């Protein structure tokens, strides 16, 4: 039997229940989870900001060990360590063929198909992954192999926070050595974005978060300044950068207000990269003069514009060389029953990543 944190309805409580995973079908892989990070997108799926069928097992930032491979699966075997990819590319659609696998038209396919049952009722996997469970069944293309000597609890963080945060800086924004970067919102993704900016050789990294408790950690990961968000934030950032604004701003919140602040914080000709997924009811407004006048670029970014099959091994090289601190992203560790507490902390803007560890 598999234990899972099951969400029965929108905004409902999470209850640890036994579920029965579907048999491992052709092209599928059964994975025993070792750890899963709790991401803000899990909360967005739970509260209806992002679409989710119920009952559901959320969790999409997971790593574990392959238990069984289905018919036709090559390149993976029982015992392999893997990180899960919540937007696995088909490798055949227009986007996949044009180097944009993070926009694959089939990336969401697994989300609308049940992966398990509970008391005979079908259960859906959040983002097709269902990592808040001791086990899951996913497509083989959703499994990225990782060497067995990498701790799985740290590898799990690669699956969403680190691919998204580092990828936004290196793949989407393409920050260059010596450039200045503002990072707005310091959850797990924002803390990864700070490290991405440091890896890219940014000359100044201005971290922005309302929680003063995050300053020390942000600075230890590479931030050169720490600011609290307020109405005059863009002005304060311009003052710190010789009156110009930063070359880049990375928005890791997904709110109209912070997207607007990110854009206004960059210099004329600068780039604001938005990875936060917000609500369809939350507009961002620009006046008709400023768009051309400031000649800024706004870049939208899904999954860090990464191809996890390529980018996970690159991130692991940084990790092995001591250039990427994965453990630093984790502020709390819980068991499956603690996912609800992690949601409460996210609602309150407290802490960074909560990591669920499976016994
Ligand atoms: Zn996520
Ligand atoms: Zn595709």
């Amino acid at each position: 039997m598999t234990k899972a944190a099951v969400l029965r309805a929108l905004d409902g409580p999470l209850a640890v229940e036994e579920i029965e995973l579907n048999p491992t079908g052709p092209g599928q892989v059964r994975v025993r989870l070792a750890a899963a990070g709790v991401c803000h997108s899990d909360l967005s799926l739970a509260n209806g900001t992002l679409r989710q069928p119920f009952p559901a097992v959320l969790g999409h930032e997971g790593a574990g060990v392959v238990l069984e491979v289905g018919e036709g699966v090559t390149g993976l075997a029982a015992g392999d360590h893997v990180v899960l990819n919540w937007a696995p590319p088909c490798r055949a659609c227009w986007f996949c063929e044009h180097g944009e696998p993070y926009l694959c038209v089939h990336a969401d396919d697994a989300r609308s198909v049940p992966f398990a049952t509970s008391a005979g009722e079908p259960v859906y996997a959040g983002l097709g992954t269902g990592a808040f469970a001791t086990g899951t069944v996913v497509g083989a293309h959703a499994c990225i192999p990782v060497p067995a000597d990498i701790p799985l609890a740290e590898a799990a963080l690669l699956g969403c926070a680190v691919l998204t945060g580092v990828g936004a800086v290196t793949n989407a924004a393409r920050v260059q050595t010596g450039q200045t970067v503002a990072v707005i919102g310091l959850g797990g993704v924002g803390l990864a974005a700070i490290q991405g900016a440091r890896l890219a050789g940014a000359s100044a990294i201005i971290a922005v978060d309302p929680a003063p408790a995050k300053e020390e950690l942000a600075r230890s990961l590479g931030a050169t300044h720490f600011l609290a968000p307020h109405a005059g934030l863009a002005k304060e950032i311009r003052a710190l950068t010789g009156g110009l604004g930063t070359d880049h701003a990375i928005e890791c919140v997904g709110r109209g207000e912070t997207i607007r602040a990110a854009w206004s914080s960059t210099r004329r000709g600068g780039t604001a990269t938005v990875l936060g997924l917000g609500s369809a009811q939350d507009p961002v407004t620009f006046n008709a003069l400023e768009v051309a006048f400031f000649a800024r670029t706004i870049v939208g970014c899904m999954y860090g514009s990464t191809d996890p099959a390529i980018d996970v091994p690159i991130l692991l090289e940084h990790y092995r060389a001591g250039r990427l601190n994965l453990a630093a992203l984790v502020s709390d560790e819980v068991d499956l029953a603690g996912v609800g507490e992690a949601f409460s902390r996210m609602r309150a803007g407290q802490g960074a990543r909560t990591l669920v560890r499976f016994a």
Side-chain angles (χ1 to χ4, degrees):
M1 269 295 193
T2 303
K3 279 194 174 170
V6 179
L7 185 67
R8 297 237 154 232
L10 200 63
D11 261 335
L14 285 151
V16 177
E17 296 179 13
E18 289 198 342
I19 59 170
E20 185 151 3
L21 294 175
N22 290 347
T24 312
Q28 290 189 317
V29 174
R30 182 174 296 244
V31 176
R32 176 171 58 77
L33 271 301
V38 185
C39 175
H40 209 275
S41 298
D42 293 312
L43 191 56
S44 299
L45 291 161
N47 67 22
T49 304
L50 301 176
R51 208 156 40 87
Q52 174 64 48
F54 296 101
V57 175
L58 304 178
H60 58 274
E61 187 178 84
V65 181
V66 173
L67 287 179
E68 182 185 39
V69 301
E71 194 188 316
V73 172
T74 55
L76 285 168
D80 286 354
H81 288 200
V82 293
V83 169
L84 301 180
N85 174 352
W86 54 259
C90 74
R91 307 288 178 198
C93 73
W94 188 91
F95 294 97
C96 284
E97 290 193 336
H98 289 77
E100 296 177 352
Y102 43 89
L103 301 179
C104 173
V105 297
H106 294 291
D108 299 351
D109 283 3
R111 300 180 195 183
S112 51
V113 183
F115 81 124
T117 52
S118 174
E121 195 181 3
V123 177
Y124 296 87
L127 301 193
T129 311
F132 295 154
T134 52
T136 188
V137 177
V138 295
H141 61 327
C143 293
I144 311 296
V146 293
D149 64 322
I150 304 285
L152 285 168
E154 294 182 41
L157 301 162
L158 296 174
C160 188
V162 180
L163 278 169
T164 303
V166 176
V169 171
T170 57
N171 295 14
R174 297 177 184 273
V175 170
Q176 303 296 305
T177 304
Q179 289 191 312
T180 54
V181 182
V183 177
I184 301 183
L186 303 183
V189 174
L191 293 171
I194 288 174
Q195 298 195 63
R198 199 197 64 231
L199 286 167
S203 59
I205 302 170
I206 301 170
V208 180
D209 196 275
K214 294 184 183 175
E215 176 166 4
E216 194 183 331
L217 177 58
R219 286 186 184 274
S220 76
L221 297 177
T224 55
H225 303 75
F226 184 91
L227 307 177
H230 58 92
L233 176 67
K235 205 170 166 189
E236 191 177 1
I237 290 178
R238 286 197 295 275
L240 288 173
T241 47
L244 291 173
T246 52
D247 297 302
H248 290 275
I250 313 292
E251 200 272 352
C252 311
V253 181
R255 273 197 219 130
E257 203 183 350
T258 40
I259 292 170
R260 177 65 221 207
W263 192 81
S264 300
S265 298
T266 64
R267 63 169 170 81
R268 281 183 90 177
T271 301
T273 300
V274 178
L275 57 83
L277 271 178
S279 159
Q281 275 71 51
D282 184 11
V284 187
T285 56
F286 301 92
N287 69 51
L289 170 65
E290 62 189 347
V291 177
F293 180 78
F294 287 105
R296 292 168 172 138
T297 301
I298 189 157
V299 175
C301 170
M302 280 296 290
Y303 215 167
S305 305
T306 57
D307 183 340
I310 293 171
D311 289 282
V312 164
I314 294 171
L315 292 168
L316 284 174
E317 285 305 307
H318 287 309
Y319 170 77
R320 281 190 197 281
R323 294 186 293 261
L324 186 59
N325 186 342
L326 297 174
L329 306 187
V330 178
S331 54
D332 300 274
E333 289 199 6
V334 295
D335 60 13
L336 261 181
V339 176
E341 290 163 36
F343 278 23
S344 303
R345 275 192 291 274
M346 282 193 291
R347 284 192 199 97
Q350 292 165 350
R353 260 316 187 248
T354 294
L355 190 75
V356 183
R357 276 192 193 252
F358 300 90

